[in-house]
Amino acid sequence: MMDVTQQRLILVTGPSGAGRSTAIGALEDLGCETIDNLPLSLIPRLLDGPPLGRAIALGVDVRNRDFSSSALIELVDTLTADPRVALEVMFLDCRTEVLERRYSETRRRHPLFPAEPPLTGILRETDLLAPIKVRADLLIDTSDFTPHDLKAEIAQWMGATPAQRMAVSLQSFSYKRGVPRGVDMVFDCRFLRNPYWVPALRKLDGRSAEVAAYVSGDPRFAEFFDRVSGLIGMLLPAHIEEGKAHLTIGFGCTGGQHRSVAVAEKLGDTLEQAGWQISRRHRELERAPSGAQPLAGRGQGGV
């Protein structure tokens, strides 16, 4: 186990086209603070001050303005000897013919030798990185990997559970104002009985115990909630297998104050109990001025 007084630092390198950007993105999704293509001379400055509460992942490749094999090896030696740092070097490797095919498919030039055919750059870069490859703590051959495979490999190496590999956002909203942008799936809660028509509940919202109890008391609520929570419980692992790091689920009702809020809150509690990372956003409650009457009071039909 890493000493809590040390800063975990992951250097991610390897030949261009082997998947470094995908790896950096995966590490960011897993909670690392990530920086790509930071000059080698600036890396020690990141260690000034106390350690962060999370790992730092740095992408290092031949495009860095002060890059050289000897400079990177010297940096690795310096950081390894530093008691403040827990250093790990991740090297993403790939077979030459696969790298050549990837360049052909994307029609990109090799960043190290843009004026040369891609194969020339690939071979020269392979030679340049050979001394660094033997110093790697983790060597991943991405030749037969999809981006999803690489993300899964990194998540396993980081010790992430499935629930830690995906952030789930639950949003409530008013259909009067439209469905939020970027929502992956939406459930309509307007069929549930409406607390707006109960005077004692009208000025409350779905976060209150009284409104939640009223909404869940609808005879149709239990079956609806069981089916929705069961469906989402089945879909979350499937989305992780496809490499998705974020999933947004929307719940709508007429005014976005009562029913949609209550359902989103209950589902959030259920998913959190199952170990998932949950964030909640109630769009219309955020828009309402403090102490203002719920949106349902402005117009016909309630929430």
Side-chain angles (χ1 to χ4, degrees):
M1 181 177 296
M2 188 185 73
D3 190 332
V4 294
T5 64
Q6 292 183 308
Q7 174 62 60
R8 185 180 185 185
L9 181 63
I10 305 169
L11 296 183
V12 184
T13 190
S16 305
R20 191 196 68 263
S21 296
T22 299
I24 288 292
L27 289 166
E28 183 176 19
D29 290 337
L30 292 168
C32 297
E33 180 169 313
T34 61
I35 307 174
D36 201 7
N37 288 323
L38 184 71
L40 300 182
S41 59
L42 298 181
I43 291 177
R45 301 185 189 182
L46 293 175
L47 305 174
D48 294 339
L52 301 178
R54 55 179 177 164
I56 298 175
L58 304 178
V60 178
D61 73 357
V62 296
R63 293 174 297 168
N64 289 49
R65 67 185 183 204
D66 55 358
F67 180 89
S68 71
S69 297
S70 59
L72 182 53
I73 290 174
E74 182 180 350
L75 176 66
V76 169
D77 289 339
T78 300
L79 295 176
T80 300
D82 192 333
R84 302 172 302 164
V85 182
L87 177 67
E88 297 159 285
V89 178
M90 177 189 298
F91 192 97
L92 303 175
D93 201 11
C94 187
R95 295 193 302 271
T96 299
E97 67 271 17
V98 177
L99 288 174
E100 188 176 18
R101 186 181 71 238
R102 290 176 181 175
Y103 275 100
S104 175
E105 290 172 348
T106 59
R107 298 183 180 180
R108 296 186 63 186
R109 298 179 178 182
H110 194 281
L112 189 60
F113 303 100
E116 302 285 346
L119 180 58
T120 302
I122 292 168
L123 294 175
R124 292 181 181 178
E125 186 180 26
T126 299
D127 290 339
L128 183 65
L129 295 176
I132 301 165
K133 179 178 176 179
V134 299
R135 300 291 298 272
D137 299 291
L138 177 66
L139 179 63
I140 302 177
D141 188 335
T142 68
S143 301
D144 301 315
F145 278 13
T146 66
H148 301 332
D149 294 333
L150 178 55
K151 291 177 181 179
E153 183 78 9
I154 292 173
Q156 183 177 10
W157 176 67
M158 290 286 288
T161 65
Q164 293 171 326
R165 289 161 55 185
M166 175 180 285
V168 181
S169 174
L170 304 180
Q171 296 190 18
S172 66
F173 65 91
S174 163
Y175 276 103
K176 290 180 179 180
R177 298 188 185 273
V179 177
R181 296 179 61 182
V183 176
D184 296 294
M185 61 183 75
V186 175
F187 295 93
D188 190 339
C189 301
R190 288 176 291 187
F191 68 92
L192 295 169
R193 62 183 185 180
N194 194 346
Y196 175 78
W197 302 115
V198 180
L201 302 179
R202 181 171 298 177
K203 293 186 178 182
L204 302 176
D205 62 59
R207 297 170 296 184
S208 70
E210 297 89 343
V211 170
Y214 183 84
V215 173
S216 62
D218 187 305
R220 299 161 294 189
F221 179 85
E223 182 178 1
F224 167 70
F225 186 82
D226 287 346
R227 293 194 178 201
V228 169
S229 58
L231 174 64
I232 292 173
M234 181 271 290
L235 290 177
L236 292 182
H239 281 296
I240 289 176
E241 290 178 7
E242 287 300 308
K244 198 171 182 66
H246 307 278
L247 188 72
T248 302
I249 304 169
F251 294 91
C253 59
T254 307
Q257 301 282 339
H258 296 108
R259 292 168 290 183
S260 59
V261 175
V263 174
E265 285 289 322
K266 184 174 177 62
L267 181 63
D269 292 342
T270 299
L271 294 177
E272 284 177 340
Q273 291 171 8
W276 295 97
Q277 299 181 73
I278 303 298
S279 64
R280 312 174 198 212
R281 181 188 177 194
H282 303 301
R283 188 181 70 181
E284 315 315 338
L285 299 186
E286 293 174 2
R287 290 180 172 181
S290 178
Q293 186 177 4
L295 179 63
R298 309 171 193 146
Q300 301 297 320
V303 282

